[in-house]
Amino acid sequence: MKHPRAPIVVIGGGVAGLATALAAAPSPVRLLCRAIDGTGSASALAQGGIAAALDPDDSPLAHTEDTLVAGAHHNNVAMVRWLCAQAPEAIAWLQAQGVVFDRDAGGALKLGREGGHRVARIVHAGGDASGAVLLRALLAKAQCAAHIQWRGGLDADALLLRDGVVCGVRAIDGQGRQHVIEASAVVLATGGIGALFACTSNPPGADGSGLALGMAAGARVRDLEFVQFHPTALDVSGAHCLPLITEALRGAGARLRDAGGRLLMEGLHPLGDLAPRDVVARRVWQARRDDGRVWLDASAMEGEWESAFPTVLAACLKHGIDPRHQPIPVTPAAHFHMGGLAVDGDGRTSVPGLYAAGEVACNGVHGANRLASNSLLEGILCGRRLGAVLAATPAAAGRGEHRWAERGSVLAADDLSRLRDLLWQTAGPVRRTESLRHYLLQLMAWPAQGWQARLAQSLLDAALQRHESLGAHYIAAPEMDV
Ligand SMILES: Cc1cc2nc3c(=O)[nH]c(=O)nc-3n(C[C@H](O)[C@H](O)[C@H](O)COP(=O)(O)OP(=O)(O)OC[C@H]3O[C@@H](n4cnc5c(N)ncnc54)[C@H](O)[C@@H]3O)c2cc1C
């Protein structure tokens, strides 16, 4: 096979970037990410696991239906059907890459249950360390794959276009030096935007920088208003990136209680503590506003802390809480972006030469609200599909005038912190039209227009355009108490 002259440049070392890079063989790939060792991705933090209809009583159809219900039927149905049908094969592929999933005493894969799933269908690895286990296996494969050249410690801040075709990347290293890398195609696999909110379960690097880059190049976006808020992050006062308290704990019997010890979800939803994430997140948001704190009581939980929830146990102990004997203080936190760069099923954006996979992309599979444990699955399946497409695609030719699509200047730390508070209060689990309008105008008048502020404007603008509540986008009536 004839290789294109320039490599495929993949930006991002999470599951989507790694799956894309691996599947692009034998085409040469340059894999860029910010951390030298591949840390700092949301993928590494994933706790619950990956959804797949593996139980004999389950089916891809049931998985499809649950995904559509969670997504408020705003999903791209064809993509959902494809994802759920391919899920069992994705698990087999991961096992072939060296991922060892947890098994029960009889040797069968252990299947967990999470909110919105009618049956147990979540496979996990290392208890609640699924993402870290997955990433370790894929990183090991990528680092010894002959077609992949790993470039850590680089922050991509501009895309090069010739004749409107993306054909390169500019990145800055830790010493502030610029590196220009010519590319036959550029893949953005840069993750989500959770770190733009004051409370998030995401790592600090999930700041929407790839989304901003794609938008600077003129790529179309979709569904920016849909942000999923996880109901239970550890309520650590003053912290921005909070440890997640996985939903699997509630799946194993832990219950949410208000400051007075009352069961928080009682009588509110037929699924109780395992109601859809947006429902639980709004209830926790309201109870914290009314009474101060909300607690996750794990005293009735079944299972071993050390083997099933080592990540949660360690995070709580680090903050002086022993969840085996004490309730865990929890808060909602920005968790997952359903919206992003609009892509087709193969990961093509509207700009030739520019592709996207994983959380930065929006192919519509998650609709207005993602079903738990469907995003690692999406990153792996869509990344592999995109990699295979790129391996078979000749380089897009652009030979004329070149221009740089630049992400733009970075907000100063104080302004960024103000922006996070503003987004949390205005575009968090509960939104009000008046305050969306008010803060959008305020943001447009900010003297310091960093790229994060422009991205936030686009999000507020998208939220204002959607007048009705749908999925994770919840608009409270002005007089309504939520
Ligand atoms: C705490 C937590 C728990 C989760 N649990 C689950 C779960 O159990 N199951 C599930 O399905 N999903 C889960 N999710 C969601 C899931 O982990 C993410 O949606 C998914 O991992 C995103 O993968 P990604 O490859 O798109 O992005 P990421 O894994 O975030 O990777 C992004 C990469 O891009 C790099 N990058 C970003 N910007 C730049 C730039 N400008 N230049 C260079 N590099 C850049 C980063 O360094 C990083 O390497 C969880 C998320 C969190 C935060």
Side-chain angles (χ1 to χ4, degrees):
M1 184 184 191
K2 207 171 151 200
H3 292 160
R5 262 181 305 155
I8 296 162
V9 172
V10 176
I11 309 174
V15 288
L18 290 168
T20 307
L22 286 167
S27 301
V29 171
R30 240 0 109 77
L31 184 59
L32 313 187
C33 72
R34 283 175 170 158
I36 295 278
D37 57 358
T39 53
S41 65
S43 300
L45 302 181
Q47 295 184 357
I50 309 184
L54 295 168
D55 190 279
D57 293 333
D58 196 5
S59 68
L61 180 62
H63 187 183
T64 298
E65 285 168 0
D66 288 350
T67 302
L68 294 175
V69 169
H73 294 274
H74 184 67
N75 318 59
N76 176 332
V77 179
M79 278 309 289
V80 177
R81 285 203 187 110
W82 174 79
L83 188 93
C84 298
Q86 297 296 314
E89 191 275 329
I91 303 300
W93 180 79
L94 284 167
Q95 287 171 315
Q97 307 311 303
V99 177
V100 178
F101 289 108
D102 296 345
R103 290 182 179 271
D104 62 22
L109 283 177
K110 244 190 204 164
L111 298 177
R113 187 161 169 225
E114 292 191 359
H117 290 273
R118 69 181 80 170
V119 295
R121 64 162 74 97
I122 321 293
V123 294
H124 41 90
D128 62 3
S130 301
V133 172
L134 231 79
L135 208 64
R136 235 185 348 260
L138 296 184
L139 264 174
K141 286 277 173 197
Q143 284 172 342
C144 63
H147 71 288
I148 300 175
Q149 194 191 0
W150 181 269
R151 298 284 304 269
L154 290 179
D155 180 32
D157 79 334
L159 296 172
L160 177 65
L161 289 98
R162 279 199 194 93
D163 289 339
V165 178
V166 172
C167 57
V169 173
R170 188 181 70 203
I172 314 288
D173 67 20
Q175 281 76 48
R177 287 181 302 237
Q178 290 189 348
H179 302 255
V180 173
I181 305 159
E182 295 270 339
S184 60
V186 173
V187 177
L188 294 167
T190 47
I193 61 164
L196 287 181
F197 288 79
C199 288
T200 183
S201 64
N202 288 191
D207 56 5
S209 118
L211 180 54
L213 266 178
M215 289 168 76
R220 275 199 304 113
V221 293
R222 188 182 159 185
D223 291 347
L224 290 190
E225 65 275 30
F226 294 115
V227 179
Q228 181 175 85
F229 297 91
H230 199 289
T232 57
L234 187 63
D235 190 3
V236 184
S237 129
H240 166 223
C241 296
L242 306 170
L244 188 78
I245 308 297
T246 176
E247 199 161 274
L249 266 172
R250 280 175 281 135
R255 310 291 301 270
L256 285 161
R257 294 184 186 275
D258 67 12
R262 289 173 292 266
L263 289 172
L264 198 69
M265 294 305 296
E266 188 111 301
L268 214 78
H269 192 281
L271 290 171
D273 284 84
L274 287 176
R277 282 187 179 166
D278 60 309
V279 176
V280 186
R282 280 198 295 279
R283 183 72 188 100
V284 175
W285 170 278
Q286 179 210 21
R288 287 182 83 251
R289 194 199 54 187
D290 294 348
D291 302 332
R293 295 200 106 174
V294 171
W295 306 91
L296 186 67
D297 169 10
S299 54
M301 196 195 79
E302 290 167 11
E304 287 291 317
W305 272 100
E306 286 77 3
S307 59
F309 301 107
T311 310
V312 173
L313 179 62
C316 289
L317 290 175
K318 191 173 157 202
H319 289 92
I321 300 147
D322 187 339
R324 294 166 296 194
H325 310 293
Q326 291 169 278
I328 308 167
V330 291
T331 170
H335 187 56
F336 183 82
H337 197 198
M338 278 71 73
L341 295 169
V343 294
D344 67 11
D346 289 338
R348 287 182 196 88
T349 72
S350 59
V351 178
L354 185 65
Y355 300 79
E359 198 171 332
V360 68
C362 177
N363 56 35
V365 78
H366 302 298
N369 206 357
R370 173 188 67 119
L371 181 67
S373 288
N374 265 357
S375 48
L376 290 174
L377 182 63
E378 183 208 1
I380 287 153
L381 282 172
C382 293
R384 285 172 62 209
R385 179 165 163 179
L386 169 55
V389 165
L390 291 175
T393 306
R399 302 191 181 287
E401 280 293 293
H402 82 268
R403 78 170 174 95
W404 285 102
E406 302 195 330
R407 191 178 56 191
S409 60
V410 176
L411 274 183
D414 280 0
D415 288 329
L416 185 54
S417 168
R418 271 205 303 147
L419 181 79
R420 288 176 182 147
D421 287 338
L422 184 153
L423 272 183
W424 182 239
Q425 293 306 332
T426 316
V430 175
R431 301 167 175 183
R432 287 189 163 79
T433 304
E434 267 321 300
S435 76
L436 284 168
R437 193 171 291 126
H438 173 77
Y439 285 109
L440 178 58
L441 289 173
Q442 201 183 87
L443 206 49
M444 286 160 80
W446 267 27
Q449 276 287 321
W451 62 265
Q452 298 98 327
R454 284 199 305 279
L455 196 53
Q457 278 179 36
S458 304
L459 196 151
L460 293 187
D461 197 31
L464 259 177
Q465 304 304 320
R466 190 171 295 281
H467 306 288
E468 308 286 328
S469 295
L470 186 71
H473 170 70
Y474 183 82
I475 296 279
E479 72 287 356
M480 209 167 109
D481 200 21
V482 285

